[in-house]
Amino acid sequence: MDSEYLSYLLKCPSCGRTMDVANQFLRVDQLSGRKTLERTLYCKQCNIKIRQYVQLHE
């Protein structure tokens, strides 16, 4: 995983601060082998939650 890119995706779209990760897990498709990172982000400043899906490429 490219940690620099994933940390960029943690930024709140409203205020620009780093959001907290409420939960996170990795799904692997058995047929295609495609990996999808699913996580829920929470911004304490703006009080918003975002569900984010990131497809990872090797």
Side-chain angles (χ1 to χ4, degrees), residues 5-55:
Y5 178 68
L6 290 177
S7 63
Y8 169 74
L9 292 177
L10 283 175
K11 300 291 182 186
C12 177
S14 298
C15 66
R17 295 183 184 197
T18 303
M19 301 176 76
D20 294 332
V21 178
N23 62 18
Q24 171 176 313
F25 55 92
L26 183 67
R27 293 184 182 187
V28 180
D29 187 280
Q30 292 182 356
L31 296 176
S32 65
R34 180 177 292 166
K35 296 179 182 178
T36 303
L37 179 67
E38 181 179 333
R39 58 189 181 177
T40 304
L41 306 173
Y42 177 71
C43 180
K44 293 180 181 176
Q45 183 72 22
C46 302
N47 198 26
I48 60 171
K49 288 183 182 178
I50 297 176
R51 180 172 287 164
Q52 185 179 69
Y53 299 91
V54 181
Q55 290 188 355

